[in-house]
Structures are given as structure tokens and as C-alpha cells.
């Protein structure tokens, strides 16, 4: 290394570290890799509000949909690692995607600095209110008899709505027509309108439509019922334990983001998740806030690692059926 390049490298490091100390000195972006109005968007907007209030700068939500969330996640993996571009990732973008995309362009484990887990939430299988089935047994019978025409809406290969329904389809043994959208807010609109037969998505998305009776839920993909939907039986109760899906939602920064910045973001998120108003907001949406021991960069690093290892074989088996 010449004397000049050594000086330049030193100057750059000094400048990054000086910037980290005053972070955030201007507005930052939180990329939501799906359409507006869906679960990732809702959770992302709550997270952006937490960062803004605790760090004193605007955190602007930008929706970059497509590719089951992998387009927005890739954008952040390649962004400047200065803490001003973050992504709201989930079990799909940051755990399942490598098993589904051979040329993903990023690695959930090595392309990001994990900031912290926000919530986990089980999925529901939801249908139009007049759909001719009221439980998983009736759904399986109808879907098998109508396999060539039944359709399923999802938010792209690798999205959590795709993964949940793949587990369900595989348990039943059907291959429906799969219709991709940029997010699951439009999938729910399709179900309510009667254009889409079914979808699988975290509780908070179908919840308002279940409350107005425009859609109905056939099962929750979990061992326990949701306190918000005590009448919706679990997949386990209905003899379909393979349909078990409770995606995590978390914040990630690009790899190489200075530790001071990661620590500031993690501390802000942690404080926000302890606020009674935030806890009520998530509880009203049927989402479970991460326990304190499961928050922060270290716990999220471990979660991503274990979820990548868990989902790879499950998805291979599911799509092989
Ligand atoms: C997903 O299926 O991954 C999400 O529900 C999509 C969304 O948040 O719109």
C-alpha cells in the first residue's frame, strides 16, 4: 500500500467512525420489500416510528415490492453500510429465500448486520365468506376435487404467504394455480372480492376482514389459538401439524454498518418494544413482541442461522410432494 492510499484509507475510516458517533444526522430509509398496507408494511411503519422517536430523525418507509421480498432485501444488501438504509426482513427474505432462489444475490447470514427481532405471528388460511368449506378437512376435500381450477394468492416465491400455503398444499397433496402479487394487501382484496380462492398470511392482515365477516379463517397454523380469534381452530387440532408457520419480522442493515450505529438502532428498537403503547398496538394486531432475551443483533443472528437450517429441508420436502 502506498503512503497516499494508506492515508486515504485512514481518512475514510476516521470519517465513517465520526459519522457513526453523530448518527443519525439526517433522515434514513427503511425499505419494506412488499406493497403498502400488508403485514410487513404495517410492522415496518411501527418500527420506523420507533426509530424516529428514539433517534430524533425521520425514518422514511419505502415500499420496494417484487420477487417475494428479495428485490428490496437485495437493494439493502448492496446499499452503503452507514445505517441510513435498512430493511424490514422476515422469515421469507432472511431465512427461506436461499432454498428457493439459486441466484439470490445476497446471503441472509453474511450480507447483513442484524439489528433486532420485532414480532412473530402465526398465519391463517383465509377464504371468501361464501367459500364452500369451513375447516381444513372440508377445504382439503374441495381443493382436491377442484385442483385444476382452485387458485391461491401469495406475495411472490419466498414470501411468507407463499411458504405458509406451500406447507398447507403439501400436507393436502394439491398443486393449485398460484397467483403472485407484490404483497398480501392485494391478495386479501382478491379474497374479499371472490377472485382469489385462498391465501395464507399472518393474522394481522386478514383480521379486519374477518371482523366484518367479508372473509373467514379455516385454521391458524400454530399449536395455540389466537386470543383475538378464539373460534378459529389450530392446524394441530385439525390433524394437520405440517401446516405450522409463524414468521418472524426483523430489521437488518447492510453488512459493515459500524457497530456504534447497529448498537444505537438496536437500543432504540428495544426501548420502543417496551413501550405500553407499542405493545398494545401489536397485541391488537395479534402479533407477539419478541421477549427481551430474544431481541438485539446477537439473538437475531442466531435466529436467522437456525431458521435457514430449519426451512431448507422443509421446503425441499414440501415442494417435492
Ligand atoms: C408475505 O407474504 O411475505 C407478506 O405477507 C407480504 C406483505 O407483507 O404484503
Amino acid at each position: 500500500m502506498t503512503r497516499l492510499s494508506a492515508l486515504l484509507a485512514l481518512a475514510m475510516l476516521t470519517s465513517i467512525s465520526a459519522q457513526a458517533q453523530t448518527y443519525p444526522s439526517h433522515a434514513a430509509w427503511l425499505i419494506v420489500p412488499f406493497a403498502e398496507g400488508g403485514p410487513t408494511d404495517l410492522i415496518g411503519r411501527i418500527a420506523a416510528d420507533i426509530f424516529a422517536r428514539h433517534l430524533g430523525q425521520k425514518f422514511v418507509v419505502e415500499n420496494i415490492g417484487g420477487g417475494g421480498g428479495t428485490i428490496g432485501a437485495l437493494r439493502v444488501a448492496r446499499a452503503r453500510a452507514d445505517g441510513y438504509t435498512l430493511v424490514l426482513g422476515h422469515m421469507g427474505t432472511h431465512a427461506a429465500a436461499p432454498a428457493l432462489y439459486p441466484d439470490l444475490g445476497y446471503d441472509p447470514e453474511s450480507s447483513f448486520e442484524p439489528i433486532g427481532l420485532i414480532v412473530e405471528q402465526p398465519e391463517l388460511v383465509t377464504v371468501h365468506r361464501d367459500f364452500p368449506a369451513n375447516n381444513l378437512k372440508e377445504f382439503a376435500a374441495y381443493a382436491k376435487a377442484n385442483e385444476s381450477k382452485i387458485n391461491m394468492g401469495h406475495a411472490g416465491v419466498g414470501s411468507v404467504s407463499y411458504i405458509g400455503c406451500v406447507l398447507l398444499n403439501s400436507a393436502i397433496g394439491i398443486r393449485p394455480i398460484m397467483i403472485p402479487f407484490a404483497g398480501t394487501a392485494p391478495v386479501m382484496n382478491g379474497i374479499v372480492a371472490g377472485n382469489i380462492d385462498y391465501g395464507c398470511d399472518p393474522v394481522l392482515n386478514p383480521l379486519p376482514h374477518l371482523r366484518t365477516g367479508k372473509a373467514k379463517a379455516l385454521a391458524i397454523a400454530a399449536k395455540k389459538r389466537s386470543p383475538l380469534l378464539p373460534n378459529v381452530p389450530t392446524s394441530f387440532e385439525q390433524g394437520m401439524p405440517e401446516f405450522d408457520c409463524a414468521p418472524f419480522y426483523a430489521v437488518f442493515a447492510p453488512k459493515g454498518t459500524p457497530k456504534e450505529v447497529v448498537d444505537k438502532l438496536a437500543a432504540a428498537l428495544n426501548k420502543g418494544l417496551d413501550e405500553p403503547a407499542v405493545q398494545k398496538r401489536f397485541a391488537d394486531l395479534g402479533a407477539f413482541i419478541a421477549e427481551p432475551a430474544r431481541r438485539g443483533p446477537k439473538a437475531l443472528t442466531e435466529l436467522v442461522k437456525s431458521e435457514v437450517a430449519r426451512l431448507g429441508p422443509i421446503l425441499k420436502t414440501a415442494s417435492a410432494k
Side-chain angles (χ1 to χ4, degrees):
M1 198 188 262
T2 65
R3 199 175 142 78
L4 179 64
S5 54
L7 280 173
L8 281 174
L10 183 67
M12 216 167 110
L13 274 178
T14 315
S15 136
I16 289 176
S17 145
Q19 280 172 26
Q21 277 160 27
T22 55
Y23 175 86
S25 58
H26 58 79
W29 267 257
L30 177 63
I31 305 300
V32 165
F34 293 99
E36 281 176 38
T40 319
D41 185 57
L42 250 162
I43 295 165
R45 282 172 200 277
I46 298 175
D49 178 57
I50 290 174
F51 288 133
R53 283 187 295 101
H54 288 280
L55 294 172
Q57 289 289 348
K58 266 197 172 161
F59 277 71
V60 181
V61 171
E62 187 179 350
N63 298 81
I64 302 180
T70 60
I71 293 174
L74 178 61
R75 178 84 70 92
V76 176
R78 291 185 177 165
R80 220 181 125 107
D82 56 7
Y84 289 96
T85 314
L86 312 171
V87 63
L88 201 294
H90 65 14
M91 183 190 83
T93 56
H94 282 75
L100 298 165
Y101 289 92
D103 300 316
L104 189 55
Y106 69 86
D107 176 0
E109 290 184 71
S110 64
S111 307
F112 298 91
E113 300 291 347
I115 303 295
L117 174 64
I118 305 175
V119 285
E120 285 164 317
Q121 190 176 53
E123 293 197 5
L124 294 173
V125 54
T126 309
V127 295
H128 184 265
R129 64 174 171 206
D130 297 329
F131 190 84
N134 290 307
N135 54 47
L136 288 182
K137 198 167 166 222
E138 289 172 12
F139 178 79
Y142 178 87
K144 276 187 168 163
N146 295 278
E147 193 175 349
S148 61
K149 63 173 193 199
I150 192 166
N151 72 56
M152 155 201 145
H154 64 95
V157 172
S159 63
V160 298
S161 45
Y162 175 86
I163 297 163
C165 274
V166 162
L167 298 179
L168 175 70
N169 300 341
S170 158
I172 295 172
I174 53 160
R175 285 185 185 273
I177 300 163
M178 296 194 185
I179 306 183
F181 291 82
T184 44
V187 173
M188 268 320 300
N189 292 341
I191 290 173
V192 167
N195 305 322
I196 298 294
D197 289 321
Y198 71 104
C200 306
D201 211 22
V203 171
L204 68 86
N205 199 31
L207 195 60
H209 305 286
L210 300 175
R211 286 186 168 143
T212 58
K214 289 183 179 152
K216 61 186 177 185
L218 304 183
I220 183 162
K223 289 196 179 86
K224 271 169 57 180
R225 294 188 182 201
S226 163
L228 298 185
L229 298 164
N231 298 327
V232 176
T234 70
S235 49
F236 285 75
E237 285 172 69
Q238 298 189 63
M240 212 179 275
E242 307 92 326
F243 183 44
D244 181 10
C245 192
F248 70 83
Y249 289 80
V251 180
F252 298 83
K255 188 76 190 170
T257 302
K259 185 172 179 322
E260 296 97 309
V261 172
V262 169
D263 289 348
K264 280 185 188 178
L265 287 162
L269 190 58
N270 194 24
K271 275 189 206 150
L273 296 181
D274 278 338
E275 291 171 336
V278 170
Q279 297 194 339
K280 178 169 174 358
R281 227 166 144 192
F282 279 125
D284 288 348
L285 295 168
F288 301 106
I289 287 189
E291 294 292 325
R294 299 186 64 223
R295 294 184 200 158
K298 193 164 173 287
L300 183 54
T301 304
E302 282 158 18
L303 177 66
V304 169
K305 189 170 182 228
S306 67
E307 282 291 271
V308 168
R310 183 182 74 89
L311 285 165
I314 290 181
L315 289 170
K316 244 186 219 154
T317 314
S319 48
K321 275 196 183 171

